């Protein structure tokens, strides 16, 4: 099966809209419920980002930290992450599936085994928060061989030199972190994000998605006017947090907040 | 004394020591880390930086610290001559201040007004709060909730020194979680805030930089040993949590091939129990806190929540990358001491020499004593007494079931 990411952005461009990228942590709050939630979210987004829970999520804010803890508490293993990806792929052959997480999980498993199983599970891309361009040699070739896109992050602190470097490695899309901070913090100022994107576009033709801190439909709408995609993570995860004892309410809150984002991003 | 300022056994440009180290950090931190790296190399090449640093180490910290021939302990053990490098006599009571002086000077050069740090036992937190007070910098210390409980006296010291101590409740509430939290805060504040990392681990340039600031320990000890004993030690021993005091003592002896270098990890309840902090002996290569090194984690790559040591300063599931490299190339011997062995050594040194060691250092003592006992009297074992034990008295009191006897009858 071919990598869906380029098709997703081509389709969105044709429809004259930005892609909605939605994140949830696999296994949160339990493996079975998480599968339901991720599949439901996959119905509404263009790209689903599935978080691989990690014991030490140093780049994440409290919301996703707690999600990771719940998932590990629930006994989530990397094989469960792959199983959820498979389910999503069966359900939605045309969407993009990206795994997001920290290097130690695939490193410990072995990048080769990880890449093969990810691809076999229908995954299109992998974003490892703590593998910057300089260290990407540890997995880049393996991911490429298996047809997995290595998604690279860029941030407000990225210099032109770093942008050029990341752009030379990145595949699928560039994930621009809207703020100098952790996931779920307040979104950076729109003008600043827009300027940085113009600069990044001088170095890459890849689509650019903006994430970290996008919480409201209005924010998504404003980002969607100049970015190729909008990533919503903590906001979706917090629908789980605020309905933690009620799976139905959780599902309901998640789908309605996703619809609100979809609506806002339509022209 | 004249210190050797040459950077020996340097990592590659990316901060790799062999296959370990590097800079496995979030993109947002890459440029701030590069700025610290550039500032460090620029400062290190500037004689004025060292004039100020070494003056502070001499007149504020009290260096050079003595090398003490522990004759009573040697006699009690009945083997090789035991020499103690008295880092416990530094201002603040441990070696940690060698590094915080250096990094605070760097922070000031970089125009940062605020410093943050993680701390486990509280020694690095105290050393950071101390220099922050002296340099008039705002200071926030991140400390695991569990460690705050274990190290109450140090928490109070930090607060007295004007630092905010922020309790970290996430994960296991220990050092690794304090590092995570400090990293999260630093990501959002690196423009005006400098992160004084406390051990020879983390992303490049921290392992190199922290090692360089601590090499005063080994350089002095080497010279002192030659002066006092007329020869180099046969064995040099240091405890290892992240590896700062170990790198400080052992690195300057790397090229002295006759000297056996021993790193002592925390054996906790015993290496076979899984409740220990012996990353090098029992861990596997992994990526945590910005570098590739040995890590205590499971087959899924989740960092161990069972890392345990009676000493909060050694209770860390990772280890500095250069130590992993030294182990791989065969320049480092591994040893470990359990909680009980450390307590025994703690008591032994206290009684024999009137020196109360930190529980961290007691691990080095325990292994050093064991090693010395099987050696000849004309041989020398050099042990890094990295800190004093005042901070550990509560823990030790509990363990020994000590009662001051002041209760009403």
């Amino acid at each position: 099966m071919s990598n869906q990411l380029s098709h997703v952005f081509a389709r969105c461009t044709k429809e004259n809209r930005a892609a909605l990228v939605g994140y949830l942590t696999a296994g949160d709050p339990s493996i079975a419920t998480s599968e339901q939630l991720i599949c439901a979210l996959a119905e509404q987004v263009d790209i689903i980002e599935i978080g691989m829970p990690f014991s030490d999520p140093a780049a994440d804010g409290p919301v996703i930290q707690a999600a990771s803890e719940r998932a590990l508490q629930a006994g989530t293993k990397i094989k469960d992450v792959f199983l959820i990806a498979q389910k999503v792929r069966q359900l939605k052959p045309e969407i993009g599936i990206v795994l997001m997480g920290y290097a130690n999980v695939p490193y410990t498993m072995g990048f080769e085994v990880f890449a093969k199983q990810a691809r076999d599970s229908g995954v299109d891309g992998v974003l490892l928060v703590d593998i910057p361009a300089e260290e990407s040699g540890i997995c880049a070739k393996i991911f490429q061989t298996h047809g997995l896109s290595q998604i690279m992050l860029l941030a407000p602190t990225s210099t032109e030199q770093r942008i050029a470097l990341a752009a030379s490695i990145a595949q699928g899309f560039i994930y621009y972190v809207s703020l100098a901070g952790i996931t779920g913090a307040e979104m950076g100022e729109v003008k600043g994000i827009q300027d940085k994107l113009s600069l990044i576009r001088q170095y890459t033709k890849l689509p650019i998605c903006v994430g970290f801190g996008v919480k409201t439909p209005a924010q998504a709408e404003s980002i969607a006017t100049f970015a190729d995609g909008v990533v919503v993570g903590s906001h979706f995860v917090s629908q789980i947090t605020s309905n933690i004892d009620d799976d139905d309410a959780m599902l309901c809150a998640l789908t309605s907040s996703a619809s609100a984002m979809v609506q806002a991003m339509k022209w | 004394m004249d210190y050797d300022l040459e950077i020996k056994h340097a990592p590659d440009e990316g901060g790799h020591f062999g296959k370990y180290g590097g800079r496995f950090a979030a993109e947002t931190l890459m440029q701030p880390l590069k700025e610290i790296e550039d500032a460090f190399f620029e400062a290190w090449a500037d004689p004025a930086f060292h004039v100020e640093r070494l003056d502070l180490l001499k007149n504020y910290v009290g260096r050079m610290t003595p090398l003490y021939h522990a004759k009573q302990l040697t006699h009690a053990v009945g083997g090789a001559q035991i020499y103690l490098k008295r880092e416990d006599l530094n201002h603040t009571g441990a070696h940690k201040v060698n590094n915080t002086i250096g990094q605070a000077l760097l922070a000031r050069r970089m125009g940062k007004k605020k410093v943050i740090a993680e701390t486990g036992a509280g020694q690095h937190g105290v050393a950071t709060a101390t220099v922050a007070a002296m340099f008039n910098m705002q200071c926030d210390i991140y400390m695991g909730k569990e460690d705050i409980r274990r190290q109450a006296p140090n928490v109070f010291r930090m607060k007295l020194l004007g630092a905010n101590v922020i309790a970290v409740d996430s994960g296991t509430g220990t050092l690794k979680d304090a590092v995570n939290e400090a990293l999260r805060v630093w990501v959002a504040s690196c423009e005006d805030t400098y992160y004084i990392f406390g051990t020879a681990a983390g992303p490049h340039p921290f392992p190199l930089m922290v090692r360089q600031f601590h090499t005063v320990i080994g350089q002095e000890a080497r010279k002192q040993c030659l002066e006092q004993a007329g020869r180099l030690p046969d064995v040099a021993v240091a405890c290892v949590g992240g590896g700062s005091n170990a790198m400080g003592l052992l690195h300057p002896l790397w090229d002295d091939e006759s000297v056996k270098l021993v790193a002592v990890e925390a054996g906790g309840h015993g290496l076979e129990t899984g409740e220990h902090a012996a990353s090098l002996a029992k861990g596997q290569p992994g990526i945590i806190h910005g570098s590739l090194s040995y890590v205590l984690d499971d087959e899924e790559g989740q960092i161990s929540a069972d890392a345990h040591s009676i000493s909060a300063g050694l209770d860390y599931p990772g280890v500095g990358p250069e130590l992993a490299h030294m182990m791989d190339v065969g320049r480092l011997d591994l040893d470990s001491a359990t909680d009980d062995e450390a307590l025994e050594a703690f008591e032994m040194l206290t009684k024999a020499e009137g020196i109360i060691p930190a529980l961290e250092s007691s691990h080095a003592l325990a292994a050093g004593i064991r090693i010395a006992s099987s050696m000849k009297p004309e041989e020398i074992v050099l042990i890094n007494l990295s800190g004093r034990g005042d901070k550990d008295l509560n823990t030790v009191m509990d363990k020994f079931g000590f009662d001051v006897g002041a209760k009403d009858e």
Side-chain angles (χ1 to χ4, degrees), chain A residues 53-61 65 69 72 76-79 103-109 111 129-135 138 153-159 162-163 166 177 179-182 212, chain B residues 14 16 19 21-32 34 169-171 176-177 179-181 183-185 187-190 284-290 292 295 297-304:
Chain A
F54 183 50
S55 53
D56 293 73
D60 283 300
Q65 278 177 55
E69 280 185 30
L72 292 174
T76 309
K77 308 277 183 205
I78 188 70
K79 69 168 172 38
N104 201 47
V105 173
Y107 178 84
T108 304
M109 185 174 189
F111 283 112
V129 181
D130 49 356
I131 300 211
E134 284 83 344
E135 302 291 355
I138 200 168
L153 289 168
L154 284 171
T157 51
S158 306
T159 56
R162 296 201 50 78
I163 292 171
V177 174
L179 53 100
I182 50 181
F212 277 43
Chain B
H16 301 94
K19 65 179 215 189
R23 190 177 279 161
F24 290 87
E27 174 62 26
T28 318
L29 287 179
M30 292 301 283
Q31 188 58 24
K34 179 83 175 94
D169 199 9
S170 59
K176 80 176 176 76
D177 308 290
V179 174
N180 291 335
E181 200 56 32
L183 284 170
R184 290 182 189 116
V185 171
V187 163
S189 61
C190 44
Q284 56 180 351
I287 298 164
I288 177 133
H289 296 150
L292 174 59
V295 177
D297 58 3
D298 65 15
E299 67 283 355
E300 290 270 314
Q302 306 297 342
I303 308 303
S304 171

Side-chain angles (χ1 to χ4, degrees), chain B residues 16-71:
Chain B
H16 301 94
F17 300 93
K19 65 179 215 189
Y20 304 105
R23 190 177 279 161
F24 290 87
E27 174 62 26
T28 318
L29 287 179
M30 292 301 283
Q31 188 58 24
L33 287 166
K34 179 83 175 94
E35 283 164 18
I36 292 182
E37 180 197 336
D38 291 346
F40 169 70
F41 281 115
E42 186 256 334
W44 198 264
D46 177 4
F49 175 74
H50 295 295
V51 167
E52 187 169 12
R53 182 174 70 92
L54 296 173
D55 176 72
L56 285 168
L57 287 181
K58 182 179 175 202
N59 298 311
Y60 182 73
V61 173
R63 298 206 76 89
M64 60 169 49
T65 59
L67 179 72
Y68 173 63
H69 184 187
K71 290 182 184 145

Side-chain angles (χ1 to χ4, degrees), chain B residues 207-226:
Chain B
L208 169 68
M209 188 160 71
V210 175
R211 175 247 275 184
Q212 283 306 117
F213 287 138
H214 280 304
T215 51
V216 288
I217 304 172
Q219 289 189 33
E220 287 175 6
R222 187 180 187 283
K223 181 165 177 277
Q224 290 166 316
C225 195
L226 284 172

Side-chain angles (χ1 to χ4, degrees), chain A residues 7-260:
Chain A
H7 302 306
V8 168
F9 288 103
R11 207 160 51 231
C12 290
T13 308
K14 217 168 138 193
E15 293 168 17
N16 201 17
R17 63 179 181 91
L20 176 60
V21 185
Y23 170 97
L24 283 177
T25 304
D28 172 34
S30 68
I31 298 168
T33 309
S34 154
E35 186 185 303
Q36 259 189 315
L37 295 171
I38 291 175
C39 286
L41 187 59
E43 292 287 352
Q44 291 177 286
V45 299
D46 302 289
I47 297 171
I48 187 99
E49 245 180 38
I50 304 176
M52 301 182 278
F54 183 50
S55 53
D56 293 73
D60 283 300
V63 173
I64 296 181
Q65 278 177 55
S68 224
E69 280 185 30
R70 284 191 298 268
L72 292 174
Q73 201 70 46
T76 309
K77 308 277 183 205
I78 188 70
K79 69 168 172 38
D80 302 307
V81 179
F82 292 139
L83 283 172
I84 292 174
Q86 281 172 32
K87 280 275 158 61
V88 173
R89 182 50 80 212
Q90 284 162 11
L91 193 69
K92 304 287 290 178
E94 75 289 1
I95 75 167
I97 303 179
V98 171
L99 297 186
M100 182 170 182
Y102 294 80
N104 201 47
V105 173
Y107 178 84
T108 304
M109 185 174 189
F111 283 112
E112 185 69 42
V113 181
F114 170 84
K116 185 174 184 315
Q117 295 194 12
R119 197 65 193 117
D120 288 349
S121 308
V123 172
D124 301 301
V126 178
L127 197 176
L128 297 171
V129 181
D130 49 356
I131 300 211
E134 284 83 344
E135 302 291 355
S136 66
I138 200 168
C139 56
K141 271 215 182 92
I142 297 169
F143 286 175
Q144 204 166 8
T145 308
H146 288 277
L148 284 173
S149 301
Q150 188 165 11
I151 319 289
M152 300 303 294
L153 289 168
L154 284 171
T157 51
S158 306
T159 56
E160 276 199 65
Q161 204 186 351
R162 296 201 50 78
I163 292 171
L165 181 64
S168 71
I169 295 160
Q171 292 174 319
F173 62 92
I174 298 267
Y175 187 133
Y176 181 70
V177 174
S178 84
L179 53 100
I182 50 181
T183 54
E186 288 307 311
M187 194 181 85
E189 181 234 343
V190 172
K191 176 73 170 63
I193 301 172
Q194 199 168 2
D195 289 350
K196 198 76 176 195
L197 255 58
S198 312
L199 180 65
I200 297 170
R201 287 195 199 281
Q202 292 174 23
Y203 291 90
T204 182
K205 292 200 161 32
L206 283 177
I208 307 173
C209 297
V210 175
F212 277 43
V214 182
K215 286 176 191 151
T216 68
Q219 285 172 328
E221 187 183 2
S222 69
I223 298 287
T225 57
F226 58 87
D228 303 295
V230 179
V231 190
V232 180
S234 297
H235 175 67
F236 288 153
V237 176
S238 65
Q239 307 307 317
I240 298 179
T241 321
S242 43
N243 297 284
I244 196 73
D245 296 322
D246 185 342
D247 282 8
D248 293 336
M250 202 180 277
L251 187 63
C252 198
L254 178 70
T255 48
S256 68
S257 67
S259 313

